[in-house]
Amino acid sequence: MSTPAIEIEGLTKDYPVGFWRQRMHRSLDHLTLQVQDGEVFGFLGPNGAGKTTTLKVLMSIIFPTSGSARVRGKSIDDVSMHREIGYLPEQPYFYDYLTARELLDYYARLFGFAASERRERIIRFLERVGLGGAADVQLRKFSKGMLQRVGIAQAILHDPQVIFLDEPMSGLDPVGRREVRDIIHDLKREGRTIFFSTHILSDAEMLCDRVGVLVGGKLQGVGAPREIVSMEVYAMEILFETPEGHPLPNSLAKSATQVGGRYRAEVPEDQLYPVLDELRRCEARILSVTPLRPTLEDYFFKLVARDKSAPPQLVEVGAR
Amino acid sequence: MSAVPGIVAVNTFREAVRDRVLYNLIVFALMMIGASVLVGEISIGISRLVIINLGLSAISIFGLVMAVFIGVGLVYKEMEKRTLYCLLAKPVRRWEFLIGKFGGLVLTLTVNTFFMALGLGAALYYVSREFLRSDAMIVIAIYFIVLELALVTALALFFSCFSSPMLSTLYTLGIYVAGFFSGDIREIGMVTHSPAMQTAARAISYLLPNFRNFNVIAAASHGDAIPFSLIWQNTAYAALYVALALIGASAIFSGRNLK
Amino acid sequence: MSSRSHSRALWFALVAIPALFIAIGFLQIRIEAETRTVGQQKEELLLRSGLLLKRWSLGYDSLLGDIYWTRAVQYYGARVGHPGEKFVLLSPLLDITTTLDPNLIVAYRFGAIFLSEPMPTGADRSDLAVELVKKGVAANPNSWELSSDLGFLYYWHLKDYEKAAAAYLQGSKIPNAPSWMKMMAAQVSEKGNAFSNSLAIWSELYETTQNEKVKKNAFQHLQSLRALQDTVELNKLAEQYRKQHGGYPSSVKELYDRGLLQGVPLDPAGFPYGFGADGKAQLDPNSPITLPKISESPTE
Ligand SMILES: Nc1ncnc2c1ncn2[C@@H]1O[C@H](COP(=O)(O)OP(=O)(O)O)[C@@H](O)[C@H]1O
Ligand SMILES: [Mg+2]
């Protein structure tokens, strides 16, 4: 394979904290990561993990304490790198006094597009994010979801090869999330590399070729969603109803929980058939039987729990 | 040279225009004309002089207020509202952004000053029904005011690269006042008997932006000739000082972690 | 902590900023050379009303008063000695200063000197000086110095001995006023030999002032007063000589030879005195000292 689309090497960021900025808080700790060309990479982590920090460093909005990064072989210090990337900040905000069309025109000018090309692109991309009708509305009148869409439009307006999206689904309703997922799918089909951060696992599971999990500034693991989570079934979930007055079978009396007139029980895989037999004996109606796999979610919470038990990281002054 | 500063400047100008700042000017122009009518009626003979003095002073003060108060917020607002994030992800260098912001405000102030100058011209014509040859000096005085405003804007921008708008306003106004008295600082230094103090006072007085250079309002109102050499010298002075402030601002801003 | 491009920017700034400062300094020197010829001719005081300024000063009136006092001193200092200088803005500046800060005694005292001195060391406007000091006396009834200055102005510059005596007398009643105030009042009212008074005043000024120009000026006054005193004494002797010998002496040495003098007096600059054809004592033509122009010689 050629050069990776994104190479991050030992990226570390310390923020000064405290009234006198005397201590350093390490928000990102020696992050090393590669994203291949054409990949959709999910950057996962709970709030405060350091996802936004990583993206801000990559965009030179802030500067790393140490480490380096390259995008398509170009150092992030190199301004020409920015011609090839798009970036959607977290909770994007734009100039109140501009309309969506004027905003995109401003950004398109920065890439040197001619007037006719700008006009055409702006319409095309506004429609792509579902804002075709709001082109001439001032941005101050936009809802959060609409701003998010404008943000996506400006990130892809110039057909960048690598696209960085910080929580692209946040602030959107279910329909909106779905539309953004479709856009990401389309971009992937066009062969672009997408690096997006999220704390919502289902989004990542549905979209990503690979994910990286960041907790407390440290990368906990990288791989295909399936590699991160073992596919092994650890339990079977049974949903059932019992006829009026019938008691629960003994084996389920303790473990089953009642949910709106129905019962739900988790049983180990090897106990499934004996339990089903018992249920048949007491004339229960089986509603569903589902194998339970650990999800990304579980993995995630395990990591967070582990991190919480560790003391917060504070590097003393001079550690810069 | 890249096109980026120009694009940023136009956007900055657009922001200022949409902020309705410029619409105050019409009010100003009307007030000027109204006031001059009044003055013309009470003071026969010196009404022209009063209108020119009043008008030029007003243009200068009004512009100064705008330069300082918009200038200190130019960069700060984009940082605070995080509109800079999207911009800096584009192929835009930070110094290009700064120059663009500066250019945009200077453009705004120039347009602004132009309209106010029209108001002054109208008032002048209203009372005297004529323009004199010597009124050309008013144009030069207005040009000097624009230079002065550019310098103030650059200073405001410089301070706002590392301090809050409140403090930046204080610093900028402080430098403005100190700059006005820089000649006096030198003479105060002469009064002390310590050679070290004298040298320090001299150095400070030459390094502070000397805003007296740009003030030819009195000469303009009397129609006194302003030598041509002063025009280019003041232009060069303003250009050098603006460059100084912008280079300083860029050096600081380029290394800043945005919040 | 910052990027490579930033360190480049820093280096550039490090080189460019001092270079620009140097260029700016040189340009400023040129501009000042230029504006000295233009701007200075037409001086203006935009605001002539001290009361208005006081109202606008937002409570910083005494500070503003100090600033105006500084301006006044500089205004005077920059012009003193220029032939034909009329110091037109001096009086308004002093008026604004003392309106802003009525208790700034120094402004009345030196202001009066600047205003009353003959050109080119002053504005030759004793009338304005009197007005200023009167304002000071009214605002500072406990300052005997101002009364003394007022007396001096009337006495020395305006030759109004009656008003001078009144001013001295008023001042002498102020607690802490030195005893010579009363003497001055008495002597001036008799229109007596007033050398000692003016000598006293100038000596006091000479001793107390910090201002080089004023000191020098006082020194010159002291010298010319001493010379004047000498000539008056010599004239008395010449009169005595005439009574004895039936004619005026032609030189000071003749007075000495006839035993009327114990030695040959020299003027404060070290030159001998002479006698004119009218028998009046004169200064040596080479002496730098000038006698006070006296229609004015205080009568005996
Ligand atoms: N400007 C800042 N100053 C100090 N600490 C910060 C700053 N920005 C972020 N942090 C800290 O860095 C950590 C990572 O934050 P962030 O990157 O925003 O997390 P995420 O985007 O994963 O939610 C958090 O602990 C946050 O408090
Ligand atoms: Mg975040």
Side-chain angles (χ1 to χ4, degrees):
Chain A
M1 211 180 270
S2 55
T3 37
I6 305 168
E7 302 160 88
I8 299 172
E9 277 170 25
L11 212 55
T12 301
K13 177 66 185 176
D14 293 338
Y15 280 115
V17 291
F19 184 71
W20 299 106
R21 322 187 101 227
Q22 73 279 47
R23 288 170 310 161
M24 288 298 187
H25 172 71
R26 182 150 288 180
S27 299
L28 199 57
D29 195 357
H30 292 91
L31 175 69
T32 300
L33 187 68
Q34 294 199 343
V35 177
Q36 300 306 325
D37 214 15
E39 238 183 346
V40 175
F41 187 89
F43 201 37
L44 279 169
N47 286 324
K51 305 182 296 291
T52 300
T53 301
T54 307
L55 286 167
K56 279 159 84 174
V57 170
L58 292 177
M59 295 304 116
S60 296
I61 291 165
I62 55 179
F63 299 102
T65 308
S66 66
S68 65
R70 280 179 301 284
V71 178
R72 290 171 64 78
K74 285 180 176 163
S75 159
I76 52 170
D77 287 342
D78 183 351
V79 77
S80 71
M81 183 275 276
H82 292 258
R83 298 203 152 272
E84 307 181 28
I85 60 158
Y87 169 57
L88 167 72
E90 186 177 28
Q91 294 170 11
Y93 190 84
F94 302 102
Y95 308 94
D96 278 340
Y97 52 91
L98 295 183
T99 65
R101 190 196 300 278
E102 286 167 339
L103 179 79
L104 295 185
D105 190 64
Y106 177 32
Y107 291 146
R109 276 171 197 271
L110 294 169
F111 287 98
F113 292 120
S116 58
E117 162 110 48
R118 291 203 302 269
R119 243 189 328 269
E120 182 272 319
R121 261 175 198 270
I122 289 164
I123 293 167
R124 181 150 54 88
F125 280 93
L126 281 176
E127 269 164 12
R128 188 160 175 186
V129 298
L131 287 175
D136 295 311
V137 177
Q138 284 200 341
L139 290 164
R140 77 174 116 206
K141 293 175 186 151
F142 272 36
S143 70
K144 228 182 137 204
M146 288 164 90
L147 285 175
Q148 189 80 13
R149 287 157 193 258
V150 177
I152 292 171
Q154 62 84 31
I156 57 178
L157 183 69
H158 49 290
D159 290 327
Q161 264 310 310
V162 182
I163 300 156
F164 296 88
L165 306 169
D166 199 352
E167 310 259 3
M169 261 61 114
S170 79
L172 295 178
D173 57 19
V175 181
R177 302 174 89 85
R178 162 100 229 206
E179 284 171 359
V180 171
R181 273 204 297 271
D182 290 346
I183 290 171
I184 294 177
H185 271 305
D186 288 347
L187 292 168
K188 179 180 165 56
R189 213 169 303 131
E190 291 167 17
R192 304 186 203 282
T193 308
I194 294 150
F195 182 103
F196 78 93
S197 78
T198 182
H199 64 274
I200 299 160
L201 300 157
S202 57
D203 291 337
E205 266 183 313
M206 263 180 266
L207 286 166
C208 297
D209 297 316
R210 285 197 307 147
V211 295
V213 180
L214 191 71
V215 177
K218 289 198 175 101
L219 191 64
Q220 309 288 341
V222 192
R226 254 160 229 86
E227 287 171 25
I228 294 270
V229 187
S230 79
M231 291 303 292
E232 204 174 295
V233 172
Y234 66 87
M236 299 300 280
E237 181 199 56
I238 310 170
L239 268 181
F240 61 93
E241 285 174 353
T242 53
E244 209 67 33
H246 270 265
L248 282 174
N250 285 341
S251 60
L252 292 175
K254 277 188 190 138
S255 60
T257 50
Q258 198 171 7
V259 192
R262 300 159 177 190
Y263 288 95
R264 178 183 174 277
E266 278 182 26
V267 298
E269 206 177 354
D270 54 348
Q271 294 286 302
L272 179 66
Y273 291 105
V275 169
L276 285 179
D277 286 343
E278 259 185 283
L279 284 172
R280 191 174 49 200
R281 272 199 291 279
C282 60
E283 293 169 25
R285 200 155 78 92
I286 310 289
L287 297 170
S288 73
V289 177
T290 321
L292 292 179
R293 287 189 202 95
T295 60
L296 220 39
E297 213 110 30
D298 300 317
Y299 175 73
F300 206 63
F301 283 122
K302 246 181 3 220
L303 288 174
V304 175
R306 196 177 71 195
D307 191 65
K308 287 259 165 68
S309 61
Q313 279 185 302
L314 286 176
V315 183
E316 291 307 314
V317 190
R320 272 209 244 203
Chain B
M1 183 85 193
S2 83
V4 171
I7 299 167
V8 176
V10 169
N11 192 56
T12 306
F13 177 69
R14 179 143 52 178
E15 171 173 17
V17 176
R18 301 246 167 115
D19 242 3
R20 270 170 279 216
V21 179
L22 286 179
Y23 305 116
N24 297 326
L25 305 178
I26 295 158
V27 176
F28 172 81
L30 289 175
M31 270 166 41
M32 277 281 304
I33 295 167
S36 61
V37 173
L38 267 174
V39 171
E41 272 165 20
I42 19 181
S43 59
I44 306 145
I46 59 157
S47 57
R48 274 184 72 90
L49 191 119
V50 172
I51 287 171
I52 296 170
N53 263 331
L54 203 76
L56 289 177
S57 304
I59 290 173
S60 156
I61 290 168
F62 200 80
L64 203 70
V65 170
M66 275 185 59
V68 174
F69 287 95
I70 304 181
V72 296
L74 274 180
V75 175
Y76 184 81
K77 236 168 71 188
E78 293 227 16
M79 287 200 289
E80 196 64 7
K81 296 196 163 177
R82 291 181 285 112
T83 46
L84 244 183
Y85 286 17
C86 279
L87 196 65
L88 290 181
K90 309 282 182 286
V92 171
R93 295 178 183 87
R94 291 200 184 183
W95 61 263
E96 292 175 325
F97 165 75
L98 282 183
I99 292 177
K101 280 279 153 188
F102 168 77
L105 184 49
V106 170
L107 181 67
T108 311
L109 293 169
T110 307
V111 170
N112 201 344
T113 307
F114 174 76
F115 280 115
M116 290 196 278
L118 283 189
L120 172 59
L124 206 54
Y125 189 78
Y126 180 88
V127 292
S128 66
R129 301 278 158 204
E130 59 173 350
F131 286 119
L132 308 177
R133 258 192 106 88
S134 59
D135 289 345
M137 295 308 140
I138 300 174
V139 178
I140 296 175
I142 289 171
Y143 172 63
F144 285 178
I145 289 175
V146 172
L147 291 180
E148 175 181 65
L149 296 183
L151 213 168
V152 171
T153 304
L155 289 173
L157 196 67
F158 170 73
F159 288 123
S160 75
C161 281
F162 56 86
S163 51
S164 69
M166 253 294 267
L167 283 177
S168 306
T169 306
L170 281 180
Y171 293 153
T172 311
L173 291 180
I175 291 268
Y176 181 79
V177 172
F180 230 85
F181 288 102
S182 60
D184 303 59
I185 290 173
R186 201 175 316 155
E187 287 180 36
I188 287 166
M190 296 301 119
V191 174
T192 71
H193 293 288
S194 139
M197 282 286 284
Q198 290 185 2
T199 315
R202 270 180 78 85
I204 290 171
S205 79
Y206 279 115
L207 297 188
L208 279 173
N210 194 318
F211 286 102
R212 283 245 162 99
N213 294 352
F214 302 108
N215 190 344
V216 291
I217 293 180
S221 64
H222 291 284
D224 292 347
I226 295 159
F228 183 75
S229 54
L230 193 62
I231 298 175
W232 78 253
Q233 282 169 351
N234 269 347
T235 308
Y237 188 87
L240 287 177
Y241 225 106
V242 164
L244 184 73
L246 292 184
I247 288 171
S250 298
I252 292 166
F253 190 61
S254 295
R256 229 190 118 164
N257 286 306
L258 304 182
K259 61 162 269 196
Chain C
M1 72 175 250
S2 54
S3 73
R4 212 177 52 212
S5 56
H6 178 228
S7 59
R8 257 200 323 258
L10 276 183
W11 277 113
F12 177 65
L14 227 55
V15 176
I17 288 175
L20 281 169
F21 264 129
I22 290 167
I24 284 165
F26 278 114
L27 197 52
Q28 182 59 30
I29 291 169
R30 284 205 61 168
I31 290 175
E32 274 172 27
E34 192 78 59
T35 44
R36 196 154 297 136
T37 55
V38 192
Q40 313 266 306
Q41 251 72 25
K42 267 289 187 317
E43 284 157 329
E44 297 244 323
L45 259 184
L46 274 180
L47 282 169
R48 288 208 176 220
S49 163
L51 281 175
L52 201 62
L53 265 177
K54 198 179 175 88
R55 228 175 299 134
W56 286 356
S57 64
L58 312 172
Y60 296 108
D61 38 2
S62 81
L63 174 69
L64 204 59
D66 297 348
I67 292 174
Y68 265 87
W69 171 234
T70 314
R71 276 190 72 180
V73 172
Q74 281 169 13
Y75 179 87
Y76 173 75
R79 284 161 189 74
V80 69
H82 294 195
E85 178 60 54
K86 289 201 177 72
F87 301 93
V88 278
L89 291 188
L90 189 57
S91 173
L93 276 170
L94 289 166
D95 186 51
I96 291 174
T97 305
T98 52
T99 304
L100 286 168
D101 185 357
N103 302 323
L104 197 65
I105 306 279
V106 64
Y108 300 107
R109 302 202 67 197
F110 287 111
I113 295 171
F114 300 161
L115 282 172
S116 59
E117 277 297 291
M119 289 192 275
T121 42
D124 203 9
R125 290 294 302 269
S126 304
D127 52 334
L128 295 177
V130 164
E131 230 171 81
L132 180 71
V133 177
K134 268 185 173 168
K135 182 177 166 189
V137 169
N140 302 279
N142 286 326
S143 163
W144 59 264
E145 292 93 338
L146 288 173
S147 293
S148 146
D149 290 351
L150 185 60
F152 179 73
L153 283 169
Y154 279 127
Y155 167 69
W156 184 257
H157 290 285
L158 296 172
K159 316 287 173 274
D160 189 332
Y161 305 117
E162 214 168 301
K163 284 193 176 143
Y168 280 122
L169 200 63
Q170 193 194 347
S172 70
K173 287 177 187 147
I174 293 169
N176 294 334
S179 47
W180 57 257
M181 288 280 287
K182 217 168 237 141
M183 278 164 43
M184 287 296 270
Q187 292 186 353
V188 171
S189 65
E190 287 171 17
K191 296 188 197 173
N193 179 340
F195 298 141
S196 53
N197 312 326
S198 35
L199 273 173
I201 294 163
W202 283 114
S203 313
E204 194 222 342
L205 212 51
Y206 181 79
E207 297 301 335
T208 53
T209 184
Q210 304 288 331
N211 183 311
E212 278 309 321
K213 283 198 172 97
V214 174
K215 206 177 186 79
K216 195 166 157 225
N217 195 285
F219 183 70
Q220 281 165 358
H221 270 278
L222 286 171
Q223 286 197 327
S224 67
L225 280 172
R226 261 202 55 206
L228 183 64
Q229 213 168 10
D230 286 348
T231 52
V232 171
E233 289 303 321
L234 287 172
N235 287 345
K236 278 190 211 159
L237 290 175
E239 207 53 41
Q240 207 176 330
Y241 180 96
R242 188 179 63 87
K243 279 183 191 141
Q244 292 170 6
H245 304 283
Y248 286 112
S250 57
S251 71
V252 177
K253 193 165 177 305
E254 274 176 63
L255 293 175
Y256 174 74
D257 291 343
R258 305 286 159 129
L260 289 168
L261 274 171
Q262 264 75 57
V264 178
L266 299 178
D267 73 20
F271 290 87
Y273 294 97
F275 282 103
D278 57 354
K280 297 277 179 211
Q282 294 175 336
L283 287 168
D284 187 278
N286 293 321
S287 174
I289 293 176
T290 48
L291 291 178
K293 276 174 229 76
I294 321 194
S295 50
E296 85 191 32
S297 144
T299 44
E300 269 176 71

